[in-house]
Amino acid sequence: MKRSHKLRLVAILLTLLLAAGAFSGCAASSGGGDGSADLLTTVLDRGELVVTLNLGNEPWGYTDADGGYAGMAVDLINGFAESIGVTVEFSPLEFSSMIPAIQSDRADIICTNLTRSASRATSVTFTEPVGSSYVVAVVRQDTISSLEELNAPDITLTTESGTVHEGIAAENFPDATMSSVNQNADAIAALKAGRADAFLTDLTIAEAACAADDSITYISTPVYVDTFSFAVKCASTSYTFVEAFNTYLRLIKGDGTYAALYEKHFGETWSPAYTELGM
C-alpha cells in the first residue's frame, strides 16, 4: 500500500479506538479477545491476527506448490495485517466450522468468499464486499446441458456443507436430492464417481476445477448471483475492527491494489462500477 494510504489508515484507526473507548460500557465478547476487550485493540496489543480460512477453494484460498497458503482472500488479509502492523496466524478449517470458530473466540476473522445473508448476520458481522461471483452447476462432460434437467427426483446434487449453496439448491431444484459433503474436493470426487449428478459452487471455483480436469464442465447459465465478505463475531466490540478493515478495502480499491490482485487471481480486469462500490 502507498505510504500516504498507510498514514491515513493509522489516523483512522486512532479515531476508531478513541470512539471504542467511549462506548466501552456496552462492550460484549469479541473474537480472540478476553471476553470484554475491543477486538481491534486486542489484535494490536497481541501483534497477531488469528485468521480462519477455507482451503481447497481456489482462487480464494488454497495450498500452493510449496505448501504455503495462497489466494485472493490470503493476499487481502495479509495486506490488511501489514497495514496495521501485525502478523497473521492462519487456522484452516472446513467451511462449516468457521463461524463456530469466531463465535467461540478461536479466531478473529473468517477469511474466505463468505456469502452475505440475513440469517448469517445474526451470528456474524460482515465486512464490505470483497468480491462477487455467479453460482453455477458443475457436471460431467456430455451428461446434463441445462439447469432444467437438474430439477428431477433421479438427480442428486452436491455441494460443500454449511454453504448457502445448500439453500440455493433446495430453492431452485426442489425435486432433486441434496447430498452435502465436507469439502469441494469431496464434491468433485462424488461427481466424477457418479454419486452425484451436479456440484453447485461459485463460478471461480468451477472454472479452476474444470481447468484442472477435462472430464467435468459447468452449465454456463448461472443459478444465482453471489456477493462475498469476510466476517467477525457479531458483537459490539467488533465495530472498530470491521471499520478498520473496510477502510483498508476502500483504500486499495481506490489505489489500484485490489485491481492488481483481481488480475493476478482471476485473470480479469476489475474496476469499480461507481464511486460507492469502489470506495
Side-chain angles (χ1 to χ4, degrees):
M1 184 184 294
K2 295 178 181 178
R3 180 175 176 82
S4 61
H5 285 171
K6 285 187 177 181
L7 292 174
R8 288 167 61 191
L9 183 52
V10 168
I12 291 168
L13 288 177
L14 291 173
T15 302
L16 290 172
L17 289 172
L18 289 172
F23 290 98
S24 59
C26 66
S29 64
S30 64
D34 63 3
S36 61
D38 172 79
L39 176 56
L40 181 59
T41 303
T42 298
V43 170
L44 293 175
D45 288 346
R46 188 199 301 144
E48 182 181 70
L49 178 62
V50 182
V51 172
T52 182
L53 76 166
N54 183 224
L55 299 176
N57 192 21
E58 190 174 358
W60 284 94
Y62 59 97
T63 304
D64 63 21
D66 297 323
Y69 301 131
M72 181 72 172
V74 173
D75 282 351
L76 286 174
I77 205 66
N78 277 334
F80 172 63
E82 180 184 2
S83 73
I84 63 173
V86 301
T87 60
V88 178
E89 178 187 337
F90 288 106
S91 178
L93 292 171
E94 293 178 350
F95 193 93
S96 58
S97 298
M98 290 194 298
I99 290 178
I102 60 170
Q103 290 177 318
S104 60
D105 298 334
R106 289 181 287 119
D108 300 312
I109 186 170
I110 294 172
C111 172
T112 191
N113 49 326
L114 185 68
T115 299
R116 299 193 300 175
S117 69
S119 60
R120 281 180 176 165
T122 64
S123 303
V124 302
T125 297
F126 292 108
T127 68
E128 291 179 0
V130 296
S132 63
S133 182
Y134 293 117
V135 175
V136 298
V138 182
V139 297
R140 294 184 299 279
Q141 289 280 11
D142 303 319
T143 56
I144 296 170
S145 58
S146 69
L147 296 182
E148 289 74 19
E149 296 174 65
L150 297 179
N151 192 33
D154 60 343
I155 293 294
T156 297
L157 306 179
T158 190
T159 194
E160 196 173 28
S161 178
T163 66
V164 297
H165 302 147
E166 291 177 293
I168 292 170
E171 181 178 349
N172 288 274
F173 311 108
D175 294 336
T177 300
M178 187 67 203
S179 178
S180 300
V181 292
N182 289 331
Q183 298 181 16
N184 287 332
D186 298 328
I188 294 172
L191 176 64
K192 292 175 62 178
R195 298 190 302 273
D197 299 291
F199 163 40
L200 263 62
T201 190
D202 294 314
L203 176 61
T204 52
I205 296 171
E207 289 176 331
C210 294
D213 190 332
D214 60 10
S215 71
I216 57 177
T217 186
Y218 64 89
I219 300 171
S220 59
T221 305
V223 180
Y224 182 81
V225 179
D226 214 349
T227 302
F228 311 132
S229 293
F230 293 168
V232 298
K233 187 174 183 178
C234 187
S236 61
T237 46
S238 299
Y239 169 76
T240 53
F241 183 94
V242 172
E243 285 304 299
F245 180 83
N246 288 345
T247 299
Y248 160 76
L249 195 59
R250 294 169 198 152
L251 290 173
I252 66 169
K253 285 182 176 180
D255 72 8
T257 301
Y258 182 93
L261 291 176
Y262 199 89
E263 174 73 26
K264 170 185 172 182
H265 293 290
F266 300 103
E268 298 177 4
T269 300
W270 178 91
S271 60
Y274 47 87
T275 302
E276 288 77 10
L277 178 62
M279 301 300 290

